[in-house]
Every structure is written in structure tokens, then in C-alpha cells.
Amino acid sequence: MTELDITIDRSSPIPLYHQVASAFDKAIREGVLPPETKLENEISLAKRYNLSRPTMRQAMDQLVRDGLVVRRRGVGTQVIGPPVRRNLRLSSLYNDLQDEGAAPQTRVLSLETVTAPEPIREKLGLGDGAEVYHLRRLRLVDGRPLALMENWLPVTLAQLTREDLEADGLYNLLRRAGVDFRMAHQRVGAAVADEEQASQLKVEAGSALVVMERTALASSGAPIECGRHVYRADRYAFDITLMN
Amino acid sequence: MTELDITIDRSSPIPLYHQVASAFDKAIREGVLPPETKLENEISLAKRYNLSRPTMRQAMDQLVRDGLVVRRRGVGTQVIGPPVRRNLRLSSLYNDLQDEGAAPQTRVLSLETVTAPEPIREKLGLGDGAEVYHLRRLRLVDGRPLALMENWLPVTLAQLTREDLEADGLYNLLRRAGVDFRMAHQRVGAAVADEEQASQLKVEAGSALVVMERTALASSGAPIECGRHVYRADRYAFDITLMN
DNA sequence: TATGACAGTTTGTCATGACATTTCGAGTAA
DNA sequence: TTACTCGAAATGTCATGACAAACTGTCATA
């Protein structure tokens, strides 16, 4: 039954419930509120921070959705541990690697504009003869190859250059160009490496590869970009946290 | 700007916001509300169904989280079309297959109680010498093998029999036994089939397999069950819908 | 001792009201 | 014609109040 010392800035443009949720989120991840800790009840908490109960509840709701606490009617709210891994995000490999302190490198194998082939046109909902970028990249970490990435996206979205692509991830570039992602459908499967993949990834032909196909969608639901990535199975896997 | 004919039962134990959300969910998935459709504003909707605005908002919030609609301040709420695939759920393969109309079968290869080996003890947070079920199953669909599944769980959780396991999925059995899941960590990767896996799954040795390792957690955050499943890559992949 | 009823605590649901912020289009002025 | 201003419309945020439902522990009773 630990209390938390939170300062709330009512003049801030950040919503109150978000300020509260962030503070608790931080405290839980940092261990200030260890697992099993029972929180005060909503009413007291609201009073403590001079908030209304709905606002306090909104903050708690977010913590529940993020999988940091559990609420049980008639019982109360409890911190659940161990510190959950962050959920799979719509950020792509580049950020994931950066976050882990690794030094990702990118080698652009090819970057060309082509008229979109049928399957791509369908995936991206494009008309006949639409122009798309077709790019193939090799991702290395610590100098060792990790993934082969192939992507397609409309040329109208952004101006892509080899230099930009070698300096930053595709998604970061697009985001900076004003493209706002909201969702992505992914399919994760497996395959064995063919001769070319094997030589690029420095593995033996017949080795296991993780295959990921992704279609990214804008907030309108319109497809923006699609791609197919293959990873060395001995160096990469997808972590997913499911909640119901 | 289509209106929806919803009947709301205020005497039902199902919360009002859930009734509304379900109705819209259904209508969107069935195409009654096609993509791009602009919904009425919250106030009118609330009035139309005799609800308060917060309740209506709560329903809309759920639709947003499920990725069915987008809301933009100052603009309104728009349908973004039925997700191509249902989101990956904490239900496991059995239900997924059932939902798709397939006829899953299970063959129990082995079911034994053993003292938990070290790595399992650690994964499940068990003490020294704890007893666990160790079960290996083969899942078939339409009579053809799809997956090899290996699971461990404390014997204290439920009473497992071969008959039960062949008749239903593990998770359904546990749920019926009163176990409540809340979360699961999954790791999806790839491997190539060894001799034994190949013969069980009726593929050639060296074929690609999708590997999934999962640890299921109770609402308290305590681990309940862990397992390692391998799927034929030519017949299975994981679909994931990401949102940010 | 064991069982069942009851009361207290806590979250879940719902209503009403108010103001803030963002977006977009219409109208106006240069 | 173009650019700017302003207001309408819609969602976002927050407060207050009330009752319902679920869980827990206690106390009385068989």
C-alpha cells in the first residue's frame, strides 16, 4: 500500500490522466512500486491528487491496458510483475535494435522505381500503371548480416535516396516526411534459405529463416507500404505479448 | 452517414456500452457499415439510443481499440473497414481453427507427470521437486498433420486425461477448470525439421518450421503454463495486427 | 467445528453538465 | 483570385453524483 508522490501540472497541455498514468508507469517499471503492491482505492487516489474519480479511472484503465496492473472488483488494484516486456510496436526493426543498444547498419542493395506488379498493386490498392519504389536492403548488426528486406511503396509518398536509407530506417524517414501510420498487418512464418539469401546473410543454404510480410496502413485504413523481410532464425525472433 | 437500428436491453447484465459496441462491431464486419462511412456525432448517437455521452464514448473507444473506426477531433468518426484478419488472441490454435470452420483433431503422443526440469521450473517459477504435466500432442486438420505441441504445467492446476485432451484444446480445458488467463508472452521464430519432427508432421527433414514458445500468465502475473510448438511452415503462419 | 448470512469495501457502470481544442469551410478583405 | 479571419461542428478532457455487482472477512447459528 505504497503512496506515490506525483506532481500534477494542471496548466500543462498534457491531459491529467496521462500525467498520472505516466507517473505510475514509470514507478512500476523502475520498481518503486514492486509487483504485488496493492494500490490505494480509486476514491482515495483521486482525492490525493485532487482529481475526479473518472479521471483517475481513465489513468488506471491505461495501466491495465498496458498490462502493468490488475483490477478486481471488490478487491482493489495490484501491480503485476515481472516488468513486462514492451509490446511489439509499429516501429520496425531499426528502432527495436537501437533501443537495445545495438548498432544497426543498412546496405541498400537496390532502389528503383517500377510500375507496380499485380500482387503489389492489389496489396496497396493502386490503379493500373502506378509507379512504386522497389527497394531491397540488407540489415547488419555489429557488422554481421541479420535480415534481407524488400519493400514496395508509392513514389508519391516521399523522396527516397540511398543515402537517407543507409542513415536511418524506412519508417523513420516516412514519418519525417509527414506520413502517419496507424496500423499494420503482419504475417510471421518460416522458410529455408535459398542460394542467394544464404550468400547475402552468410548462412548455409537450407538454414531456417523467419519470414515476415507486412502491410502498413494509414489512419484512414488505406495501405501505405508493404514488404517482405527474411531474418536469420538464429539471430532473430518476434516477441509478442498477448492480452485478452 | 448511415444510421444503425440497435435494440438495447437495459435489463440485460451486459453493459450498455458493450451492447452498442458489439452491434457496431457486427455491422462493420458484415459490411452494413462499409469502409469510409462517416458515423453520426457522439451526441446524436447517444440521444438516438437514449444513452449518455460518456457511455456512447466508451463504446466508441472500444471500436477504436479494436481498429474498426478512426476518430478525429473536429471531424468525426469514420469506419475503416473490417480488419483483414482477426487479431491474434490468447485462445490458442484450437479456437482459431474452429473459427475458420476447420475440423481440428488432436492425437496425444505422451502425457506424463514428472518432476520439473530446471528450465521449466524457472519459466514457471516453481520450487525444487515440483510436479508438472509434460504433454506432447500432434494437431491435425482435415486429417493432415499441422503442428507438434509440447507443454508443461503444474499438476495442481487441473486433472488432465488423454480423452479430454483429444476432445478439446488445452486452454479450453484449463479455462473450464477455473484457470483464468490474462496474458501470454510469445516468441515466434523458425527452425528446420529434424528426422523425428519430419516423420510426425509428414514433411521432409530439413523443411521449414514455425517455432512458437509461449508462457501463459494468470491475472496475478504468475506463470501458469509454458510450451513449445512447431508448425509446418507451408500450412501455418501467425497473423498480427499492430496498432500504435 | 463448520456453515451460511450479512455487511463493508472496492471496482464497474451510467447520467448530466461544462469547457477546451482541433478541424474545416464560409465569408471577407486585400 | 488569393489569403486571412472567424465561427460552427466534432471530439477531447474533466467534474460530480449515484447505484450495481463482486469479493472478503466476520459473526451468528446449527
Side-chain angles (χ1 to χ4, degrees):
Chain A
M1 195 65 100
T2 318
E3 290 91 22
L4 213 53
D5 197 16
I6 299 178
T7 53
I8 288 178
D9 178 6
R10 295 190 86 91
S11 68
S12 160
I14 299 171
L16 302 183
Y17 70 87
H18 193 270
Q19 293 184 37
V20 177
S22 305
F24 275 88
D25 185 301
K26 186 157 173 264
I28 292 172
R29 289 187 198 278
E30 287 178 353
V32 180
L33 296 175
E36 313 274 309
T37 308
K38 190 154 174 280
L39 265 48
E40 268 181 286
N41 69 62
E42 300 176 346
I43 317 270
S44 322
L45 281 174
K47 201 169 293 176
R48 178 181 299 279
Y49 304 124
N50 285 310
L51 298 168
S52 71
R53 191 182 159 211
T55 304
M56 198 63 219
R57 269 188 76 76
Q58 208 173 348
M60 288 300 163
D61 279 344
Q62 187 168 324
L63 294 177
V64 170
R65 276 198 299 278
D66 291 345
L68 293 170
V69 305
V70 182
R71 284 192 293 189
R72 268 163 53 214
R73 179 188 293 200
V75 179
T77 308
Q78 257 189 326
V79 177
I80 65 177
V84 273
R85 271 195 298 277
R86 196 181 287 269
N87 212 336
L88 195 57
R89 286 163 310 158
L90 182 41
S91 57
S92 93
L93 186 58
Y94 196 85
N95 305 55
D96 291 345
L97 294 172
Q98 274 188 328
D99 290 353
E100 286 171 19
Q105 284 178 282
T106 307
R107 192 174 301 159
V108 176
L109 303 178
S110 71
L111 169 60
E112 42 183 8
T113 67
V114 296
T115 62
E118 221 300 289
I120 303 301
R121 278 218 317 277
E122 190 187 350
K123 275 208 178 93
L124 296 181
L126 295 174
D128 212 44
E131 295 269 308
V132 293
Y133 282 116
H134 173 208
L135 60 140
R136 301 198 319 125
R137 294 168 295 163
L138 180 68
R139 178 85 80 216
L140 306 95
V141 176
D142 302 327
R144 300 190 311 176
L146 173 65
L148 266 172
M149 310 187 292
E150 193 168 14
N151 293 79
W152 286 267
L153 61 156
V155 291
T156 51
L157 267 188
Q159 196 95 29
L160 294 181
T161 70
R162 292 180 93 95
E163 293 71 42
D164 288 341
L165 283 167
E166 307 226 326
D168 205 347
L170 175 60
Y171 275 39
N172 286 351
L173 289 176
L174 290 177
R175 225 181 281 271
R176 262 208 296 284
V179 181
D180 77 315
F181 301 95
R182 186 116 334 170
M183 290 201 327
H185 294 303
Q186 285 193 176
R187 171 166 294 191
V188 179
V192 294
D194 63 26
E195 300 286 344
E196 192 204 333
Q197 292 169 330
S199 81
Q200 295 275 16
L201 291 171
K202 299 262 190 295
V203 294
E204 290 180 13
S207 301
L209 300 177
V210 182
V211 180
M212 189 270 282
E213 291 177 15
R214 163 191 282 183
T215 304
L217 309 176
S219 57
S220 63
I224 289 179
E225 173 265 354
C226 67
R228 177 188 160 91
H229 299 181
V230 299
Y231 305 84
R232 284 178 55 158
D234 58 343
R235 298 190 64 197
Y236 199 73
F238 286 88
D239 279 321
I240 309 168
T241 298
L242 298 174
M243 302 194 42
N244 61 346
Chain B
M1 195 64 102
T2 317
E3 291 91 23
L4 213 55
D5 196 17
I6 299 177
T7 54
I8 289 178
D9 178 7
R10 295 190 88 91
S11 68
S12 160
I14 299 171
L16 302 183
Y17 70 87
H18 194 271
Q19 293 184 37
V20 176
S22 305
F24 275 87
D25 185 301
K26 186 158 173 259
I28 292 172
R29 290 186 197 278
E30 288 178 352
V32 180
L33 295 175
E36 312 275 308
T37 307
K38 191 154 174 281
L39 264 50
E40 268 183 286
N41 70 64
E42 300 175 347
I43 318 270
S44 321
L45 281 174
K47 201 168 293 174
R48 177 181 301 278
Y49 304 123
N50 285 310
L51 299 168
S52 71
R53 192 183 159 208
T55 304
M56 198 65 220
R57 268 189 76 75
Q58 207 172 348
M60 287 299 160
D61 278 344
Q62 187 167 325
L63 294 178
V64 169
R65 276 198 300 277
D66 291 346
L68 292 171
V69 303
V70 180
R71 284 193 292 189
R72 268 161 53 216
R73 178 189 292 202
V75 179
T77 307
Q78 260 189 324
V79 177
I80 64 176
V84 197
R85 304 262 313 176
R86 194 185 291 270
N87 211 339
L88 196 57
R89 285 164 311 158
L90 183 42
S91 57
S92 94
L93 186 59
Y94 196 84
N95 304 55
D96 290 346
L97 294 173
Q98 273 188 328
D99 289 353
E100 287 172 16
Q105 286 178 282
T106 307
R107 192 175 301 158
V108 176
L109 303 178
S110 72
L111 170 60
E112 41 183 9
T113 68
V114 298
T115 62
E118 219 301 287
I120 303 301
R121 277 219 317 278
E122 189 187 348
K123 274 207 179 88
L124 296 181
L126 296 174
D128 212 45
E131 295 270 308
V132 293
Y133 282 117
H134 173 208
L135 60 139
R136 300 199 318 126
R137 293 169 297 162
L138 179 67
R139 177 84 82 217
L140 305 95
V141 175
D142 302 328
R144 299 189 312 176
L146 172 67
L148 267 172
M149 310 187 291
E150 193 167 12
N151 292 79
W152 286 268
L153 61 157
V155 291
T156 51
L157 267 188
Q159 194 94 30
L160 295 182
T161 69
R162 292 180 93 94
E163 291 70 42
D164 288 342
L165 283 167
E166 307 226 324
D168 205 345
L170 174 60
Y171 275 38
N172 286 351
L173 289 176
L174 290 177
R175 224 181 281 271
R176 263 208 296 282
V179 181
D180 76 319
F181 300 95
R182 186 113 342 166
M183 291 201 324
H185 291 305
Q186 286 193 177
R187 172 164 293 194
V188 180
V192 294
D194 63 26
E195 300 285 344
E196 192 204 332
Q197 293 169 329
S199 82
Q200 295 275 17
L201 291 171
K202 298 262 191 296
V203 294
E204 291 180 11
S207 301
L209 300 177
V210 182
V211 180
M212 190 269 282
E213 291 177 16
R214 153 148 64 184
T215 304
L217 309 176
S219 56
S220 61
I224 289 180
E225 172 265 352
C226 67
R228 178 187 160 89
H229 300 182
V230 298
Y231 305 84
R232 283 178 56 157
D234 58 341
R235 297 190 64 196
Y236 199 73
F238 286 88
D239 279 319
I240 309 166
T241 298
L242 298 174
M243 302 194 43
N244 61 344

